[in-house]
Amino acid sequence: MQATLKNCVAVVSGASRGAGRGIAIELGAAGATVYVTGRSTRAQPADTYADILALSGLDAVPGSLDGTGEEVTQAGGRGIAVRCDHTREDEVAKLFAQVQRDKGKLDLLVNNAWGGHETFNGVFEAPFWEHSLAQWDSMFDRGVRNHLLASRFAAPTMVAQGGGLIL
């Protein structure tokens, strides 16, 4: 594959596992430098998965930032793992300051961090009106709010450089 994103600097939030991990690896395969962010490192897994682990019967949630960063690099890009709780404004500010300090630019932000699992009750089949408001509050507070917060810190850099993409 041709490295079509060779000079691209990207941040992918929630990149420890799932869609975020896959997106980060594919950006790496296209040659991008990818800051993979989230709360789960090998040394310090996120501590908010107890309920969903109990529902699933798993001992631990798979995936880590370290692993994703290594996979991005193996795919042909450069993976940089940064632990960041995207619900905390100070940590998000620190992340984007690091990207600016290290690279001087930001071309792409992929908002993927989501925290709805903290109140997920394991029921997919129920209509939305039967799910608890606590579950919806969790999805909005740790999903939509996370995306807004990261976008607020990414946008000034993108505006100043005359371009960028927020997903």
Side-chain angles (χ1 to χ4, degrees):
M1 174 182 236
Q2 185 179 4
T4 57
L5 297 179
K6 182 179 178 192
N7 296 314
C8 177
V9 176
V11 170
V12 179
S13 71
S16 301
R17 63 192 61 82
R21 176 180 163 270
I23 292 166
I25 293 168
E26 288 305 311
L27 288 170
T33 296
V34 185
Y35 286 79
V36 295
T37 70
R39 297 177 296 169
S40 295
T41 64
R42 286 185 188 122
Q44 186 180 2
D47 60 1
T48 58
Y49 289 96
D51 290 343
I52 202 157
L53 287 172
L55 287 167
S56 68
L58 295 173
D59 293 327
V61 177
S64 71
L65 296 172
D66 318 86
T68 302
E70 291 164 0
E71 290 179 278
V72 168
T73 300
Q74 289 168 357
R78 179 163 180 238
I80 303 169
V82 179
R83 188 175 193 286
C84 178
D85 182 339
H86 282 271
T87 66
R88 296 188 43 140
E89 186 171 351
D90 60 327
E91 292 187 23
V92 177
K94 184 178 172 185
L95 163 68
F96 285 95
Q98 177 182 344
V99 173
Q100 182 64 32
R101 187 175 56 252
D102 292 352
K103 300 297 175 188
K105 69 176 196 158
L106 175 62
D107 301 301
L108 175 64
L109 167 61
V110 178
N111 281 309
N112 180 68
W114 179 74
H117 60 274
E118 283 98 342
T119 57
F120 180 62
N121 62 7
V123 177
F124 286 105
E125 296 82 19
F128 77 90
W129 60 87
E130 292 180 10
H131 288 278
S132 74
L133 285 179
Q135 184 175 346
W136 289 101
D137 289 343
S138 175
M139 286 189 287
F140 282 105
D141 184 52
R142 294 176 190 92
V144 176
R145 185 180 182 280
N146 287 356
H147 299 183
L148 176 62
L149 188 57
S151 297
R152 287 183 71 215
F153 284 101
T157 297
M158 292 177 174
V159 169
Q161 70 193 21
L165 179 63
I166 298 174
L167 303 170

